[in-house]
Amino acid sequence: MNNETGIAIKKKQQRNKLIETGTIIALVIIFAVILPAVIPAFRLRLIGRFLSLAIVALGIDLIWGYTGLLSLGHGIFFALGGYALAMHLNLQLPEGQLPEFFTLYGVEELPWVWQPFYSFPLTILALIIIPGIVAGLIGYLVFRNRIKGVYFSILTQAALLVFFNFFNGQQEIINGTNGLKTDTERIFGVLVSSPGVQRAFYIVTVISLILIYLLCRWLTSGRFGRLLKAIRDDETRVRFSGYDPTGYKVLVFAISGAIAGIAGALYTVQTGIITPSIMQVAFSIEMVIWVAVGGRGTLIGAIIGTMLVRLAQTFLSESFPEIWLFFQGALFLIVVTVLPDGIVGWWTSYGWHKSRSLLGLQPKLATYPSLVEDPELQQERETIAKK
Amino acid sequence: MSTLIEGLFNGISIGSVLLIAALGLAIVFGLMGVINLAHGELMMLGAYATFVVQNVFKPLGEPWFSFYIIAAIPVAFIVSAIFGLILERGAIRFLYGRPLETLLATWGVSLILQQFVRSVNWLLIICLGIFCLLFFGGMQLLKSRADWESMRTKIVSLLLPLAAGVAIAFYFLLSQNSALTNAWFSARNVDVTAPAWLRGGVEVLGFQMPYARLFIIALTILCLMGVYWFLQRSAWGLRIRSVTQNRTMSSCLGIPTAKVDALTFALGSGLAGIAGCAVSLLGSVGPNTGQNYIIDTFMVVVVGGVGNLLGAVIAALGIGILNYLIGSGTLALFLTTISAPQSMIDFFLFFATSSMAKVMVFALIIIFLQIKPAGLFPQKGRTAEL
Amino acid sequence: MSKILEIEDLTVSFDGFKALNNLNFSLDAGELRVIIGPNGAGKTTFLDVITGKVQPTKGRVLFKGKNLKKIPEYKIARMGIGRKFQTPRVYLNLTVRENLDLVCNRNKNVFPTLFGHANNSEKRTVGGLLETIGLDSKANLQANLLSHGEKQRLEIGMLVAQSPDLLLVDEPAAGLTDEETENVGALLLSLAQSHSIVAIEHDMEFVRQIATDKVTVLHQGALLCEGKMDQVQNDPRVIEVYLGETPE
């Protein structure tokens, strides 16, 4: 009997996998092929920005939804990635010239931090590695002392403020409050804001989103993913089972930071500028609400949530700018109190059955799951039916 | 010598602002385990209440106007406490034991409060009143029905859009009337003028001690003593402490835990109001005022250790003094006088602006937490961690 | 016989309150020891110190002759000490099989866990354990659907999956029905053949069932007496701490 249920489960898994692959391929075709052909360029740029924000949301879901660490400082990693790429773009100048803003502050020699960003491959590496390392370092210093829960959240928020202050204060190095422009710069000799480059960035964003989604899938599915959930649910128990949670948390936080870095770079080139204001406290908390709206602990929920909230924001702040903050505040309250599992969680636990019953289909489970799914009871039921 | 005393005084005065702002937070966080990200906004409300009281006293003329600040303190306390009470009853009480969710919910509230002071006008108040009347009035009426429990979700999902719809309809109906739609405060900052007796300062050992700063230090000490007395000596304080220790047991012994929660939260919020009143003496007040304080005050609580007033005092003073010494360049100056190595002086000069000082102080806090992860005065024993 | 666990002059104090007071204790390899004592006797703190959750204020704990001072919990667990908590603590959002698989993992460092898969011997261990604890048919159920007694058994199974040399079991019979209690007792006795076990228990019926070797009585953080079950039962000091002053 055990074997049979095993086979049934395997079949179900295979079917789910097929459905998932199909959906992904369909979405790729829609977003990467059809949309660019249909909608105007500036709207495409907007969607490209949303998709890059969905990438951060995946990173946040990885640490919050699966590992239970609520980071309010992902703006740091987002900005680091954005700055890395922006610095590279700002260096696409004839030999010996400096980016324009340096002359404002009387800087005559390129600061050493800028040197590596002449090279494109190094830049790509840096925009992943630097946020990852910074996240890993912050994570290590916090986690090794078993600071967790809200303390971790507060400390990440404080770290965010610190980076914000630092970037604002360093005019001679990274142009302080004014930030770095990317739209007027060139990449491979072409203007960044030109339609062709923007479309290329859009497609890169779609591909990155898919790849990062698959990475997160892989991370959360196997033993590693189960351990993350175990850490979320009962960290002390994990420790007494012989695992050191610190290493796992540091790694997953670093990965999440690196993901945010990639997202930040893609967001920056599709926005046209990066300034320290990207590290405002509000923006980083907003990232969390995208995940919460979609449903934490489900990767697809993070993506859906981001798209929905950003769309609502674009619409509301275009037509009723005053209402947006009220709406956003209400969204935080409602999601937390009424929809703790987000849209996807609500759908899988309630909405699916509800819509089935509305269509007149038999509900699949009529009683407590423990009774219906209990194999012993099922067997008993079958023997009774045979008699 | 005098620079050192000046530095110390300024540090203490920054610390006392931090402390008065953190006091309410320490109570709410320490006793209830609630992270209230709207604490800064409750401060902001206190500051606006002070502004309103000042405007009320202005027409009364001089002898009275001087004392508006004395009247403003209880008003600010009450306004913030009422908002805190609404917040606790309306949202937070559903979220006890889920600190991360509370954090997000209070952030939502803080966004709403920020926008509220920006766009509050008579019309908004009227419409809010209509909504509350319809929704809560309707709920009260229907509560007497026998099948209330089973109908509850249906009634709520019917009444909520209905009440909201009527309120919004009213809004659009009356929105032509400009007398009603004039914003009270607008998005710009407002200024509270300190009364004459708080302007100027006293000269001690060759430097100025502004009266406003001294007033804040005195106010902080008063609040601290008041809170200590309330928690340690009064009957309600005893109840609050007992609920903190063991909620289930307290409720079994007949302590109304829900009331205690509401009271604790209102107390913490009210203290935020007083802090807002104090802060309004230091500079202009705007919808974003609260945001400037929230992270620093949380750092005070984290460093001080949860549920410990003494820890909060030491942490606030320590952070305040460090912030000033580093930020004003006093430390760098001091190092020059004792002819410390140039590299060290340069290092501290690099951090000698108020925003860079925060960078340094945060680094120090992280180092401190490596040694004492649970703050200055951690809770010990079997209940401390689970 | 060699000692697997030795505790010398152990004192643990929280802010001056002594949870354990000059405690001396030793356990032979392969022994099943039951520890009893009234509330507040320091039983749970005793386990906390051994597993590294609480550091001793004074004295030392030796496991297989090695001092456990300042060794983090996870390393102590890897050295071969497994602990079961008072209330069952299993990972509620994982299935029974996944619960066992996670603990069974041979290499618990980060990267081997990330890239590794359960090998055949691990799979066999998990399968065997599922049978031992009688949760074979519920292997693919989420642990939060299990009953209290099933969770207790699952947690004991997780302990064994860790393949420790010393099992620390905190009130395994708490909240169980009589039948379940007996099941758990039998499980412990069968485990005792291949492991050293320290069990903390309140339920005297249960203690009588499993106490084949010695019983230790703790009182106010110190050792009150030690001996065979019937010896301890008749000790006047034990009767006094359990029932109050004996009338003279």
Side-chain angles (χ1 to χ4, degrees):
Chain A
M1 184 215 71
N2 202 26
N3 240 350
E4 271 169 36
T5 46
I7 290 168
I9 286 168
K10 260 204 185 127
K11 262 191 184 157
K12 207 172 161 189
Q13 278 173 349
Q14 270 175 351
R15 205 186 60 198
N16 284 346
K17 215 166 218 174
L18 262 179
I19 293 176
E20 200 186 337
T21 337
T23 328
I24 289 177
I25 292 173
L27 282 177
V28 172
I29 291 174
I30 292 174
F31 274 100
V33 183
I34 299 179
L35 272 187
V38 182
I39 61 173
F42 77 100
R43 287 280 171 202
L44 194 70
R45 198 167 140 129
L46 195 69
I47 294 181
R49 285 214 289 274
F50 292 174
L51 289 175
S52 37
L53 293 177
I55 297 178
V56 209
L58 279 178
I60 293 206
D61 200 14
L62 194 63
I63 54 164
W64 184 38
Y66 287 90
T67 326
L69 308 165
L70 179 58
S71 159
L72 300 180
H74 259 49
I76 301 171
F77 318 124
F78 194 79
L80 286 175
Y83 267 103
L85 190 53
M87 280 158 90
H88 172 71
L89 295 179
N90 272 273
L91 284 178
Q92 303 305 304
L93 299 162
E95 196 69 29
Q97 269 189 32
L98 285 187
E100 216 174 307
F101 70 87
F102 277 125
T103 52
L104 291 176
Y105 312 111
V107 179
E108 272 150 24
E109 205 180 319
L110 197 65
W112 60 269
V113 278
W114 281 70
Q115 296 294 351
F117 293 97
Y118 272 116
S119 135
F120 183 70
L122 269 186
T123 304
I124 297 298
L125 208 63
L127 69 86
I128 302 171
I129 299 282
I130 292 177
I133 288 178
V134 172
L137 197 69
I138 294 177
Y140 175 72
L141 288 177
V142 174
F143 297 138
R144 83 187 191 104
N145 289 305
R146 305 201 183 157
I147 296 171
K148 54 187 180 185
V150 285
Y151 291 94
F152 172 71
S153 306
I154 294 171
L155 284 174
T156 50
Q157 197 175 41
L160 179 71
L161 187 77
V162 161
F163 272 82
F164 178 66
N165 278 334
F166 186 84
F167 274 67
N168 262 333
Q170 297 307 315
Q171 276 142 344
E172 292 91 356
I173 303 179
I174 27 123
N175 204 15
T177 340
N178 302 323
L180 301 177
K181 281 204 186 68
T182 58
D183 256 4
T184 48
E185 306 299 332
R186 285 166 186 281
I187 184 164
F188 301 125
V190 196
L191 202 64
V192 171
S193 58
S194 67
V197 176
Q198 284 296 318
R199 178 167 304 179
F201 275 130
Y202 174 80
I203 289 174
V204 171
T205 310
V206 174
I207 294 170
S208 319
L209 179 62
I210 303 279
L211 289 180
I212 287 167
Y213 171 79
L214 291 176
L215 171 76
C216 292
R217 271 288 320 253
W218 175 67
L219 284 174
T220 53
S221 57
R223 232 181 209 172
F224 186 77
R226 292 199 285 272
L227 192 78
L228 294 185
K229 283 186 200 164
I231 290 174
R232 176 190 69 189
D233 292 345
D234 194 342
E235 190 177 330
T236 316
R237 189 76 187 81
V238 170
R239 212 170 269 134
F240 285 116
S241 300
Y243 290 98
D244 180 17
T246 310
Y248 290 87
K249 284 158 90 176
V250 169
L251 178 70
V252 84
F253 193 57
I255 291 175
S256 177
I259 290 175
I262 298 171
L266 290 168
Y267 183 82
T268 301
V269 288
Q270 296 181 79
T271 312
I273 189 169
I274 184 156
T275 65
S277 68
I278 208 83
M279 287 187 278
Q280 271 167 353
V281 169
F283 187 59
S284 292
I285 301 191
E286 226 187 295
M287 295 174 183
V288 174
I289 206 66
W290 302 332
V291 179
V293 166
R296 69 187 122 130
T298 56
L299 293 172
I300 199 74
I303 301 176
I304 294 175
T306 312
M307 300 304 278
L308 283 181
V309 177
R310 286 310 282 201
L311 276 175
Q313 176 169 12
T314 313
F315 170 72
L316 279 178
S317 48
E318 268 173 15
S319 28
F320 318 95
E322 285 213 332
I323 301 219
W324 166 241
L325 269 189
F326 281 133
F327 178 79
Q328 203 190 4
L331 199 64
F332 273 94
L333 279 171
I334 291 169
V335 163
V336 164
T337 49
V338 186
L339 265 185
D341 293 325
I343 295 171
V344 173
W346 174 82
W347 176 254
T348 47
S349 68
Y350 183 78
W352 167 244
H353 302 297
K354 190 83 185 166
S355 41
R356 271 178 73 96
S357 74
L358 279 180
L359 288 171
L361 294 169
Q362 282 282 320
K364 268 193 162 169
L365 297 180
T367 134
Y368 293 108
S370 62
L371 292 181
V372 173
E373 287 179 6
D374 190 335
E376 280 170 13
L377 282 178
Q378 292 292 5
Q379 211 176 15
E380 257 173 48
R381 222 174 257 175
E382 276 161 30
T383 45
I384 293 169
K386 270 177 204 159
K387 280 174 193 170
Chain B
M1 187 63 204
S2 89
T3 44
L4 200 71
I5 293 182
E6 186 181 354
L8 214 59
F9 172 75
N10 281 322
I12 289 174
S13 98
I14 294 175
S16 70
V17 174
L18 274 181
L19 180 58
I20 198 169
L23 201 56
L25 204 67
I27 288 175
V28 170
F29 186 30
L31 298 181
M32 304 169 76
V34 165
I35 293 283
N36 183 9
L37 282 186
H39 192 80
E41 275 59 40
L42 292 169
M43 273 174 73
M44 181 240 335
L45 286 179
Y48 272 95
T50 312
F51 174 70
V52 171
V53 171
Q54 174 205 272
N55 284 358
V56 169
F57 272 65
K58 223 170 225 168
L60 293 180
E62 213 6 89
W64 293 104
F65 181 67
S66 294
F67 295 102
Y68 85 84
I69 196 84
I70 307 295
I73 291 171
V75 171
F77 181 89
I78 290 167
V79 167
S80 296
I82 287 175
F83 267 89
L85 203 63
I86 296 173
L87 172 59
E88 200 271 343
R89 288 286 93 185
I92 290 175
R93 73 177 160 130
F94 304 113
L95 299 170
Y96 284 127
R98 290 157 62 195
L100 294 180
E101 274 87 345
T102 322
L103 187 151
L104 292 178
T106 51
W107 175 256
V109 171
S110 85
L111 291 180
I112 292 176
L113 285 179
Q114 278 174 39
Q115 186 61 37
F116 180 75
V117 295
R118 272 191 207 117
S119 53
V120 63
N121 51 34
W122 283 113
L123 185 57
L124 196 70
I125 298 286
I126 292 172
C127 292
L128 261 180
I130 291 174
F131 173 79
C132 289
L133 199 72
L134 284 178
F135 182 67
F136 294 105
M139 294 275 276
Q140 282 300 326
L141 276 182
L142 290 168
K143 226 172 209 166
S144 52
R145 284 177 59 124
D147 52 353
W148 162 251
E149 278 306 321
S150 58
M151 296 289 285
R152 191 191 181 111
T153 38
K154 267 192 189 151
I155 291 174
V156 169
S157 57
L158 200 74
L159 213 53
L160 194 68
L162 201 73
V166 172
I168 290 170
F170 251 88
Y171 188 91
F172 282 110
L173 216 66
L174 293 175
S175 59
Q176 303 306 321
N177 189 337
S178 65
L180 289 179
T181 52
N182 265 346
W184 290 2
F185 309 112
S186 88
R188 265 174 294 134
N189 285 8
V190 296
D191 279 305
V192 174
T193 23
W197 56 278
L198 280 181
R199 278 173 241 153
V202 58
E203 204 173 281
V204 176
L205 288 170
F207 79 98
Q208 281 272 334
M209 285 189 181
Y211 285 127
R213 293 269 178 189
L214 287 172
F215 178 73
I216 291 174
I217 295 176
L219 189 63
T220 308
I221 294 172
L222 269 179
C223 284
L224 202 63
M225 291 193 320
V227 166
Y228 182 82
W229 174 85
F230 180 76
L231 287 180
Q232 302 295 329
R233 297 277 180 272
S234 77
W236 276 103
L238 182 65
R239 280 174 209 154
I240 289 174
R241 281 183 294 137
S242 75
V243 171
T244 307
Q245 297 264 321
N246 190 336
R247 174 172 294 269
T248 346
M249 198 62 216
S250 309
S251 125
C252 290
L253 289 172
I255 294 172
T257 48
K259 246 186 217 166
V260 168
D261 287 336
L263 181 80
T264 316
F265 200 85
L267 176 69
S269 309
L271 285 169
I274 296 184
C277 185
V279 162
S280 71
L281 293 173
L282 297 177
S284 62
V285 175
N288 294 327
T289 301
Q291 294 288 307
N292 304 333
Y293 289 92
I294 190 74
I295 293 179
D296 289 335
T297 47
F298 268 119
M299 286 299 109
V300 169
V301 177
V302 168
V303 171
V306 176
N308 195 304
L309 286 182
L310 184 62
V313 173
I314 296 175
L317 293 182
I319 291 178
I321 291 172
L322 271 178
N323 238 325
Y324 181 79
L325 287 184
I326 298 168
S328 66
T330 313
L331 202 59
L333 207 69
F334 176 70
L335 286 175
T336 347
T337 55
I338 60 161
S339 59
Q342 189 58 36
S343 60
M344 206 162 143
I345 296 170
D346 284 342
F347 177 75
F348 279 106
L349 272 179
F350 183 71
F351 289 100
T353 62
S354 63
S355 64
M356 288 305 286
K358 282 192 174 169
V359 178
M360 178 91 170
V361 169
F362 178 72
L364 291 175
I365 289 175
I366 290 286
I367 294 170
F368 170 78
L369 289 177
Q370 303 303 305
I371 306 160
K372 291 198 82 100
L376 283 168
F377 299 103
Q379 290 174 325
K380 278 186 188 163
R382 211 162 66 159
T383 47
E385 183 210 10
L386 207 120
Chain C
M1 218 183 278
S2 67
K3 302 277 184 210
I4 188 160
L5 183 70
E6 286 165 282
I7 287 172
E8 295 167 2
D9 270 338
L10 184 66
T11 301
V12 174
S13 61
F14 300 118
D15 286 332
F17 167 73
K18 285 186 176 163
L20 290 178
N21 196 357
N22 282 329
L23 182 71
N24 285 292
F25 178 88
S26 70
L27 186 77
D28 293 331
E31 194 183 341
L32 191 167
R33 178 76 64 93
V34 183
I35 296 182
I36 59 175
N39 276 327
K43 293 173 307 219
T44 301
T45 311
F46 179 67
L47 295 193
D48 281 351
V49 177
I50 299 174
T51 48
K53 196 174 169 205
V54 170
Q55 284 298 322
T57 317
K58 223 181 74 198
R60 53 186 200 158
V61 179
L62 300 174
F63 175 65
K64 293 184 194 163
K66 199 167 180 310
N67 194 344
L68 295 184
K69 197 172 172 81
K70 294 245 163 98
I71 299 181
E73 291 105 313
Y74 73 94
K75 277 193 185 148
I76 292 180
R78 286 183 195 178
M79 283 164 72
I81 297 183
R83 174 174 184 183
K84 195 204 148 310
F85 287 85
Q86 210 160 341
T87 45
R89 283 168 89 166
V90 297
Y91 307 120
L92 295 176
N93 288 315
L94 302 178
T95 67
V96 172
R97 189 189 299 279
E98 287 169 347
N99 262 294
L100 289 172
D101 171 73
L102 211 52
V103 188
C104 197
N105 188 3
R106 280 294 138 252
N107 192 336
K108 287 171 177 162
N109 290 323
V110 178
F111 289 102
T113 308
L114 180 54
F115 295 107
H117 283 281
N119 58 33
N120 276 336
S121 83
E122 282 172 13
K123 275 184 189 158
R124 240 176 290 132
T125 320
V126 170
L129 270 172
L130 282 170
E131 258 171 56
T132 317
I133 58 174
L135 290 175
D136 203 9
S137 60
K138 300 192 173 180
N140 295 318
L141 276 193
Q142 284 221 335
N144 56 5
L145 298 174
L146 297 181
S147 72
H148 184 75
E150 285 167 338
K151 280 182 200 154
Q152 292 279 40
R153 289 206 305 253
L154 173 57
E155 200 183 2
I156 294 176
M158 284 163 73
L159 269 195
V160 180
Q162 224 173 298
S163 61
D165 303 309
L166 173 63
L167 289 173
L168 305 174
V169 200
D170 199 349
E171 297 196 25
L176 296 186
T177 62
D178 288 349
E179 192 198 337
E180 282 172 327
T181 308
E182 219 173 301
N183 278 340
V184 170
L187 186 58
L188 277 183
L189 284 174
S190 73
L191 289 175
Q193 287 160 8
S194 45
H195 303 85
S196 318
I197 300 182
V198 173
I200 286 181
E201 193 44 68
H202 265 314
D203 182 348
M204 281 306 154
E205 204 53 46
F206 184 65
V207 173
R208 246 170 249 127
Q209 184 194 346
I210 59 173
T212 47
D213 294 333
K214 274 197 278 188
V215 174
T216 300
V217 186
L218 288 187
H219 180 53
Q220 291 180 345
L223 191 89
L224 190 69
C225 74
E226 206 168 67
K228 288 276 179 202
M229 185 64 194
D230 39 349
Q231 248 172 301
V232 167
Q233 249 176 323
N234 297 321
D235 191 304
R237 288 173 301 171
V238 177
I239 297 170
E240 188 183 317
V241 295
Y242 267 98
L243 301 175
E245 290 283 320
T246 38
E248 287 296 318

